[in-house]
Amino acid sequence: MATCNTVLPNVTLVDGTLDVVAKIKTLTDEVLGINSVYMRAKDTFKELLDGRHLSEAEYAQFASQFISQLAVTTTQQVITGAMQWEAQEKEMAYSLAAMKAQADLTLANIEKTKYEICKIQKDIDLQCANITATLATSIRKNGRVSTYGTDGCTPTALYDEGTDYVQMKAVDAQKYSTLADAYRKSGIVDIATTLDGVEKGTAGNDAGYTKAQEDFAKRQVKSFEDSKRNHAVNASSQMIGQLLSAEVAPDPSYVTQWNTAMTYLNTNTP
């Protein structure tokens, strides 16, 4: 995979100024030097004129014309040559700079392409990671898909796993626990809508510890009443016994109270 670090090339522009002075001087030194064509032409011209018996004025006139024409022609050729030389150097430098810039541009395009490929790959990796995370989250929550529809994509059934399935089972267990506690507490209860329009329990059986608690409460009340009568019987018995031991006839009402209490206890107490 290509890296995403792109370094842009550094392109330097070439100076377009033409510098021909140094080249004119160089060419002039070569053209007008001791062994130059100019000096050989001047010597040859002198040799040609020496044998013609010219006066000094004529010789000076011919020499002046020859040197002037040769100087003008030489100067023009030197300047033209220097200009062409400098232009060719600049053209060569420009061509090299252009080639370098084109090469740098090509490298930049390569780096750009590498970056775009890297970015595309990163986007694909991100999409794959998101898909993987979504699938993992779905599997953890809902469980794996056991069967799909005819399109091959739509889930139609899941395995009995996942946090939702566990939570559903926990809710079922809580419901069963609540029903079991209710049955243990109240027994079977009939649910109906009463005349006031409220849905509630209307009847039930005698199962459950609520009924046992109710019976126990009633028994406690009865035991309290039995205890009072038992104390009354004992007190009456002691009092009647003391009177009889003193050979004193007890009041008939004492005997009646004792007999009433004993009869109640023997009749109503299991």
Side-chain angles (χ1 to χ4, degrees):
M1 184 187 300
T3 60
C4 292
N5 296 326
T6 302
V7 179
L8 295 178
N10 184 15
V11 179
T12 302
L13 297 178
V14 178
D15 186 5
T17 303
L18 295 178
D19 183 12
V20 298
V21 176
K23 291 179 174 58
I24 291 175
K25 183 178 183 302
T26 300
L27 293 176
T28 302
D29 292 342
E30 291 293 330
V31 171
L32 302 179
I34 297 176
N35 297 320
S36 65
V37 176
Y38 175 81
M39 295 302 295
R40 292 175 62 188
K42 186 178 70 172
D43 293 340
T44 301
F45 176 77
K46 185 176 183 303
E47 292 176 357
L48 291 174
L49 294 180
D50 285 345
R52 293 183 178 272
H53 305 287
L54 298 175
S55 63
E56 292 182 358
E58 291 175 339
Y59 180 82
Q61 181 181 359
F62 284 118
S64 175
Q65 292 176 353
F66 173 77
I67 292 172
S68 296
Q69 292 177 355
L70 184 60
V72 171
T73 303
T74 302
T75 303
Q76 290 178 347
Q77 291 177 348
V78 166
I79 294 175
T80 302
M83 291 291 294
Q84 292 177 350
W85 182 7
E86 180 68 17
Q88 288 177 355
E89 284 188 351
K90 291 297 182 181
E91 181 68 22
M92 182 178 296
Y94 169 76
S95 300
L96 291 176
M99 292 175 60
K100 182 177 183 300
Q102 186 62 38
D104 292 340
L105 180 60
T106 302
L107 292 176
N109 289 331
I110 293 174
E111 292 297 328
K112 179 183 177 182
T113 303
K114 290 167 61 178
Y115 172 78
E116 291 175 350
I117 293 174
C118 178
K119 186 176 183 299
I120 293 173
Q121 186 61 48
K122 292 296 183 182
D123 292 339
I124 294 174
D125 293 342
L126 179 60
Q127 292 176 359
C128 291
N130 290 333
I131 293 173
T132 302
T134 302
L135 291 176
T137 302
S138 177
I139 291 174
R140 184 176 184 181
K141 182 179 180 181
N142 304 312
R144 294 169 297 161
V145 178
S146 58
T147 57
Y148 291 91
T150 56
D151 59 357
C153 297
T154 304
T156 57
L158 302 173
Y159 288 107
D160 294 336
E161 58 188 19
T163 56
D164 284 356
Y165 177 78
V166 174
Q167 290 176 354
M168 181 181 66
K169 288 301 181 182
V171 171
D172 291 341
Q174 183 65 35
K175 179 178 66 177
Y176 298 148
S177 176
T178 302
L179 292 175
D181 289 343
Y183 177 76
R184 184 176 182 184
K185 180 180 180 181
S186 304
I188 298 175
V189 179
D190 296 333
I191 305 297
T193 302
T194 57
L195 295 177
D196 55 2
V198 179
E199 185 177 355
K200 57 186 176 181
T202 57
N205 59 13
D206 293 339
Y209 64 81
T210 300
K211 181 63 170 59
Q213 289 176 338
E214 181 182 356
D215 293 341
F216 180 72
K218 292 179 179 179
R219 181 58 186 164
Q220 283 186 320
V221 174
K222 187 173 182 61
S223 297
F224 180 74
E225 295 295 332
D226 292 345
S227 178
K228 290 194 299 181
R229 287 179 173 80
N230 187 45
H231 284 300
V233 169
N234 290 333
S236 299
S237 297
Q238 291 178 0
M239 183 176 61
I240 293 172
Q242 289 177 359
L243 291 174
L244 292 175
S245 63
E247 297 181 354
V248 176
D251 190 278
S253 61
Y254 296 160
V255 177
T256 301
Q257 291 176 355
W258 177 82
N259 187 37
T260 300
M262 285 295 296
T263 301
Y264 177 86
L265 291 173
N266 291 328
T267 302
N268 296 287
T269 301

